[in-house]
């Protein structure tokens, strides 16, 4: 099953540390990374920096467009004001195809603020127990996922 997760960290470099843990887990065969992206927001910056990884070389442009659409709708389109209302609705429908609803977009927007970071990952074939071990101590908060409530509960229990 393809899983989308968005993890918030209470420091600008927390997501980068988690990215390294995720990549290490992938090298060890604990998960397959379809694609991922980082949002780092230094405390003194007016807006976040977004970094797309391009893990899937065959579909890199498609994922790049997805991440641009997702992060644009979260961090940049709201700055345009009421004129962007229709655009936000269209973007919400587009990312809903991946299992991200408007409430989750709003949650990410509210929680990712200056001084924090975000790791968004699209993965498959995850060994949750062993993968969870890699993430202990990283102090993350799951802010969005396309998992069912039961799967989400298992994920949160495993990752602490």
């Amino acid at each position: 099953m393809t899983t989308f997760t968005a993890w918030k960290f209470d420091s600008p470099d927390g997501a980068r540390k988690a990215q390294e843990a995720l990549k290490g887990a992938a090298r060890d065969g604990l998960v397959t990374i379809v694609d991922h992206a980082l949002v780092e927001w230094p405390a003194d910056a007016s807006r976040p920096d977004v970094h797309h990884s391009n893990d899937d070389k065959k579909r890199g442009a498609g994922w790049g467009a997805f991440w641009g659409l997702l992060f644009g709708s979260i961090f940049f389109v709201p700055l345009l004001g009421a004129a962007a209302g229709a655009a936000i609705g269209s973007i919400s429908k587009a990312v809903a195809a991946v299992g991200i609803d408007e409430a989750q977009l709003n949650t990410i927007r509210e929680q990712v603020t200056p001084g924090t970071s975000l790791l968004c990952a699209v993965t498959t074939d995850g060994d949750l127990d062993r993968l969870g071990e890699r993430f202990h101590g990283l102090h993350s908060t799951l802010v969005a996922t396309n998992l069912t409530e039961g799967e989400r509960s298992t994920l949160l229990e495993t990752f602490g």
Side-chain angles (χ1 to χ4, degrees), residues 8-81:
K8 178 203 168 202
F9 299 85
D10 290 329
S11 66
D13 66 341
R16 190 158 303 272
K17 292 175 184 174
Q19 171 188 257
E20 293 310 313
L22 183 64
K23 286 181 174 181
R27 282 190 299 274
D28 294 341
L30 302 179
V31 67
T32 300
I33 304 170
V34 176
D35 209 45
H36 75 285
L38 288 175
V39 175
E40 297 173 312
W41 199 337
D44 59 350
S46 61
R47 64 179 183 206
D49 294 321
V50 177
H51 309 279
H52 168 239
S53 64
N54 207 11
D55 293 294
D56 184 345
K57 303 301 180 206
K58 293 180 184 176
R59 296 178 198 87
W63 282 110
F66 169 76
W67 295 122
L69 192 65
L70 176 67
F71 296 129
S73 70
I74 292 172
F75 299 113
F76 305 112
V77 171
L79 300 176
L80 300 176

Side-chain angles (χ1 to χ4, degrees), residues 16-151:
R16 190 158 303 272
K17 292 175 184 174
Q19 171 188 257
E20 293 310 313
L22 183 64
K23 286 181 174 181
R27 282 190 299 274
D28 294 341
L30 302 179
V31 67
T32 300
I33 304 170
V34 176
D35 209 45
H36 75 285
L38 288 175
V39 175
E40 297 173 312
W41 199 337
D44 59 350
S46 61
R47 64 179 183 206
D49 294 321
V50 177
H51 309 279
H52 168 239
S53 64
N54 207 11
D55 293 294
D56 184 345
K57 303 301 180 206
K58 293 180 184 176
R59 296 178 198 87
W63 282 110
F66 169 76
W67 295 122
L69 192 65
L70 176 67
F71 296 129
S73 70
I74 292 172
F75 299 113
F76 305 112
V77 171
L79 300 176
L80 300 176
I88 292 171
S90 297
I91 291 168
S92 295
K93 287 179 185 172
V95 295
V98 179
I100 307 164
D101 60 28
E102 194 166 344
Q104 289 173 324
L105 290 175
N106 289 331
T107 299
I108 294 170
R109 183 180 299 117
E110 291 166 3
Q111 291 200 19
V112 180
T113 58
T116 67
S117 58
L118 182 76
L119 171 64
C120 293
V122 180
T123 59
T124 62
D125 308 318
D127 180 336
L128 287 185
D129 290 329
R130 294 193 55 212
L131 189 57
E133 293 168 4
R134 304 286 178 106
F135 281 79
H136 280 291
L138 293 178
H139 308 289
S140 60
T141 302
L142 180 66
V143 293
T145 183
N146 65 345
L147 297 172
T148 66
E149 280 305 312
E151 293 166 332

